[in-house]
Amino acid sequence: MSPSGDHSIQFSLLDGVPHYSVAFRNVPILENSELSLVLDGGELGDRFVVESKQADSANESWVPVIGSRASYPDAYNECVIQLRGGNQKALRLELTFRAYDEGVAFRYTIPPQEGIDELELKSEDTHFQFTDDHFVYWDDYPQARYSKLRISEMPGRSIRPLLVEAGSHFVAIAEAGSIGHYAPMMLNRSGKNQLVTRFRSGTVSASKSLTTPWRVIMVAEQPGTLVENHYLLQNLSPPSKLNDTSWIQPGKVWRSSLTTKGAKAIIDYAAANNYQYVHYDAGWYGPERDANSNPLTVIDSIDMQETIRYANEHGIGLICYINKIAMSRYDLDKTFQTYQQWGIRGVKMGFVDWTSQSDMEFLYASIEKAAKYKLIVDIHDNFRLTGIERTYPHLLTVEGILGNEELPEKGNPPKNVLTTSFARMIAGAGDYTPCYLNGRVVSRSFQLALGVVFYSPLQYLHWYDQADRYPENRYPELEFWKEMPTTWDNSKVVHGSIGSYITIARRKGDRWFVGTIVDEARSLDIPLDFLGPGVFDAKIYAEDPDDKKQVVIQSRQVTASSKLKVTMSSGSGCAIMISPMLNLTE
């Protein structure tokens, strides 16, 4: 049982087969669910007896290098159960269960034992037996559109995290901890009201012993609580492997055209508007899908050393794209060492593979190599976090999200954005790549709010825009992005409904930034009870009622007892910056 008593996980042996069940505030969430591993040569899941049990607990907190909060609580009760097979082989298996106030987690360990030198895990058969045919928010690809379906209506498989509506509760199934030598978890529809884990591809091999990643079940009465508690995946991950993290800098990024002139224009804007990075995307070293594009060459339209010199002169860092084709075909150690020598500050890894153990081993080795040469990392395309940003804090963000690259009218309407803001963000940082002036933008106040709604220590803003479209003072509302940080001391989902609306408030120092987005037209009362004592100035960046592509700015004095009423048309939003006022009596 968790320290608060809210979450509980119970182990049992039914005819020698390990099972578990999960409850939240005494309400059953998962009924007897089977636990099994299938090894090459047989199933490791039946005829067990309990050999011993060990209990442990922790009540701590830790400070992330980069985070959505200044510190994360880390309190749990743990039980490790040693099992011994009842057959002649008498194989041993350990199951570790933890109950946190944020959720429960468990993992398997095959400890070193006589007669086992090499292990090949053909399948992991972890079952999730729900009590009814609940709704799930299903996707089978990291950049897919979400569908709300019953478990019985799900296509064969889903990726994680998976968000489930279990009656009056919301449940997230996730994967946590290192998967550097494991295959990513997939969730297949199995028996009635049941899901089961599968590898996306291949098998998993290990020498002498094997410990799986954690399987995580989070339960809450409100879906926003699951988003707030994304740090549970980091709690279940190893601490930072980096002794020196002083070089890791989060920030706001603007993608440049593939020219020196274009980069300089963005550097000028970035330096004047509190952005930290300029980015050269795919194509800077040649056609991105051409295996002969050498990542140590630069196309003629870019003078790399001049770009870096100019960026350094203005206090701006350069991030450059590199994809799996170039990472695997060329000497990655030499490539990253050269980038460091040039003065590049970070890499965005594209075309990453995400299905097998070998894919994960390559990706983790690449992340570690980037740290060796002090390069921050953004992973695009198909990867989602499992809490490993605690272990590798220079991994600032990942995509694995259907972002603003997809047109609203062609697959990513506001309703999907408002599903993604819940279902996807349970996994942690998501690089949504908002735009502002691009023609795909329906509401600019909606876009402003995205910088707060989608937590990402690297915020790629203006994704399809160039700096020459931003004459000085033409868009005064961009003050919001200028002042907006990308990491936070506190984060709170004020209210929301999946697919309908969400309001998130985040604090840095003594200022709060609030983002609200809606699908259908509605008015919302935003309570400000998260504020401390005193009087505050709330600067509201709202939709112009006559033109949703325009933003009007208003100011109000507020306190913690105030509520701000905001009215938005369909597919629009509102951004609010709240700053303490000077003592009015002085």
Side-chain angles (χ1 to χ4, degrees):
M1 186 171 288
S2 65
S4 68
D6 285 351
H7 285 85
S8 63
I9 184 166
Q10 183 172 342
F11 168 79
S12 60
L13 280 177
L14 302 179
D15 297 327
V17 179
H19 286 72
Y20 74 98
S21 58
V22 175
F24 179 74
R25 296 178 181 170
N26 298 318
V27 176
I29 301 298
L30 295 175
E31 297 180 317
N32 288 326
S33 301
E34 185 177 337
L35 297 167
S36 177
L37 300 177
V38 180
L39 296 172
D40 186 23
E43 185 172 5
L44 189 59
D46 59 358
R47 299 182 61 189
F48 278 107
V49 295
V50 176
E51 196 167 52
S52 65
K53 298 180 182 179
Q54 294 176 319
D56 198 2
S57 63
N59 186 10
E60 302 171 348
S61 64
W62 58 281
V63 176
V65 176
I66 303 294
S68 63
R69 295 171 59 166
S71 66
Y72 294 136
D74 189 8
Y76 60 84
N77 293 316
E78 179 183 270
C79 183
V80 181
I81 299 174
Q82 284 89 24
L83 300 172
R84 177 174 49 80
N87 56 24
Q88 291 182 344
K89 291 184 178 180
L91 292 172
R92 291 186 291 119
L93 175 68
E94 289 182 0
L95 295 171
T96 303
F97 297 92
R98 285 187 184 177
Y100 293 79
D101 289 342
E102 298 85 354
V104 299
F106 57 89
R107 66 181 177 185
Y108 305 80
T109 297
I110 302 174
Q113 49 198 289
E114 187 176 349
I116 294 182
D117 292 319
E118 301 296 325
L119 291 162
E120 184 174 356
L121 187 59
K122 297 177 68 176
S123 178
E124 177 194 321
D125 291 357
T126 298
H127 289 74
F128 303 86
Q129 181 62 62
F130 286 95
T131 59
D132 203 350
D133 191 13
H134 298 311
F135 281 112
V136 299
Y137 292 89
W138 173 84
D139 67 339
D140 66 344
Y141 181 74
Q143 297 180 68
R145 181 174 177 173
Y146 283 97
S147 300
K148 185 177 181 180
L149 306 167
R150 297 281 185 183
I151 293 174
S152 60
E153 298 170 333
M154 275 179 57
R157 63 186 189 180
S158 176
I159 58 173
R160 44 77 176 155
L162 181 67
L163 179 57
V164 183
E165 282 190 23
S168 60
H169 296 103
F170 295 88
V171 182
I173 301 175
E175 181 172 34
S178 175
I179 55 171
H181 297 286
Y182 208 74
M185 178 179 79
M186 183 171 62
L187 293 162
N188 278 22
R189 183 162 47 82
S190 185
K192 183 179 180 181
N193 307 331
Q194 185 182 95
L195 304 173
V196 64
T197 58
R198 289 289 184 264
F199 302 141
R200 288 202 63 84
S201 177
T203 61
V204 169
S205 300
S207 178
K208 301 292 186 182
S209 64
L210 171 71
T211 296
T212 71
W214 294 92
R215 296 347 186 174
V216 185
I217 301 104
M218 302 163 66
V219 190
E221 292 181 338
Q222 299 296 328
T225 304
L226 302 176
V227 178
E228 289 181 8
N229 293 344
H230 72 88
Y231 60 83
L232 178 59
L233 307 188
Q234 295 185 58
N235 288 352
L236 291 159
S237 299
S240 174
K241 287 190 173 185
L242 310 186
N243 294 322
D244 175 21
T245 59
S246 61
W247 55 275
I248 302 172
Q249 181 186 14
K252 290 164 285 194
V253 194
W254 192 328
R255 181 176 68 160
S256 171
S257 63
L258 297 181
T259 65
T260 308
K261 181 181 178 181
K264 285 185 173 183
I266 286 173
I267 290 165
D268 289 338
Y269 184 97
N273 290 278
N274 193 28
Y275 286 47
Q276 287 68 44
Y277 293 100
V278 63
H279 171 73
Y280 277 142
D281 206 53
W284 71 267
Y285 58 82
E288 62 175 328
R289 298 180 186 276
D290 186 344
N292 294 316
S293 291
N294 186 334
L296 294 182
T297 62
V298 184
I299 60 176
D300 292 342
S301 58
I302 295 174
D303 183 335
M304 183 63 78
Q305 288 308 305
E306 175 58 17
T307 297
I308 293 171
R309 182 202 67 76
Y310 195 79
N312 289 340
E313 183 180 274
H314 289 77
I316 302 299
L318 176 66
I319 299 172
C320 288
Y321 174 92
I322 182 172
N323 65 27
K324 172 76 179 291
I325 299 169
M327 290 165 65
S328 59
R329 187 176 175 86
Y330 294 88
D331 183 337
L332 192 57
D333 204 275
K334 180 181 178 181
T335 298
F336 284 176
Q337 183 181 40
T338 302
Y339 288 177
Q340 183 189 41
Q341 291 170 348
W342 284 355
I344 291 172
R345 296 274 298 281
V347 289
K348 186 179 86 170
M349 300 177 181
F351 291 176
V352 300
D353 295 318
W354 59 295
T355 63
S356 67
Q357 179 182 12
S358 61
D359 290 341
M360 292 301 99
E361 288 175 340
F362 179 87
L363 184 59
Y364 271 61
S366 301
I367 293 168
E368 289 188 341
K369 195 152 292 184
K372 178 180 176 181
Y373 295 106
K374 296 186 176 180
L375 298 169
I376 61 169
V377 175
D378 174 10
I379 299 174
H380 255 232
D381 302 317
N382 301 322
F383 186 68
R384 288 180 179 172
L385 293 169
T386 60
I388 64 167
E389 65 271 37
R390 179 185 186 183
T391 312
Y392 303 106
H394 66 299
L395 174 53
L396 294 182
T397 194
V398 302
E399 190 180 21
I401 196 170
L402 187 63
N404 246 164
E405 290 176 294
E406 188 69 35
L407 291 164
E409 66 272 19
K410 290 188 177 179
N412 196 22
K415 185 177 182 65
N416 190 66
V417 178
L418 280 151
T419 302
T420 303
S421 61
F422 290 99
R424 161 62 179 82
M425 299 310 288
I426 294 164
D431 188 2
Y432 191 80
T433 56
C435 309
Y436 198 70
L437 294 184
N438 185 268
R440 69 193 59 218
V441 172
V442 176
S443 162
R444 289 182 186 153
S445 55
F446 183 99
Q447 298 302 112
L448 285 177
L450 294 178
V452 176
V453 170
F454 287 97
Y455 166 65
S456 183
L458 274 183
Q459 276 283 2
Y460 274 79
L461 305 172
H462 310 281
W463 183 248
Y464 285 110
D465 296 332
Q466 291 303 311
D468 59 6
R469 297 192 63 196
Y470 290 81
E472 188 174 3
N473 300 322
R474 173 63 181 85
Y475 303 100
E477 68 272 16
L478 286 172
E479 169 192 40
F480 184 80
W481 277 356
K482 178 179 180 179
E483 298 297 322
M484 180 188 74
T486 64
T487 61
W488 308 94
D489 296 328
N490 197 6
S491 294
K492 176 182 176 62
V493 180
V494 178
H495 47 39
S497 175
I498 301 168
S500 296
Y501 68 96
I502 193 169
T503 300
I504 296 184
R506 303 189 192 273
R507 179 179 62 83
K508 188 73 167 183
D510 58 5
R511 290 203 296 181
W512 285 87
F513 293 77
V514 181
T516 297
I517 56 175
V518 300
D519 177 31
E520 297 180 343
R522 68 172 64 230
S523 292
L524 290 172
D525 288 322
I526 302 175
L528 303 182
D529 52 2
F530 50 81
L531 297 176
V535 180
F536 295 78
D537 173 65
K539 206 163 190 180
I540 304 162
Y541 304 83
E543 169 193 351
D544 185 331
D546 296 323
D547 182 355
K548 66 195 313 178
K549 284 197 173 181
Q550 301 302 318
V551 177
V552 294
I553 305 173
Q554 304 168 336
S555 290
R556 279 187 53 188
Q557 288 186 18
V558 297
T559 67
S561 62
S562 302
K563 289 185 178 180
L564 287 176
K565 187 179 187 68
V566 295
T567 299
M568 294 156 284
S569 64
S570 60
S572 194
C574 180
I576 307 167
M577 181 168 60
I578 306 175
S579 307
M581 299 186 71
L582 296 175
N583 191 330
L584 299 179
T585 62
E586 292 183 353

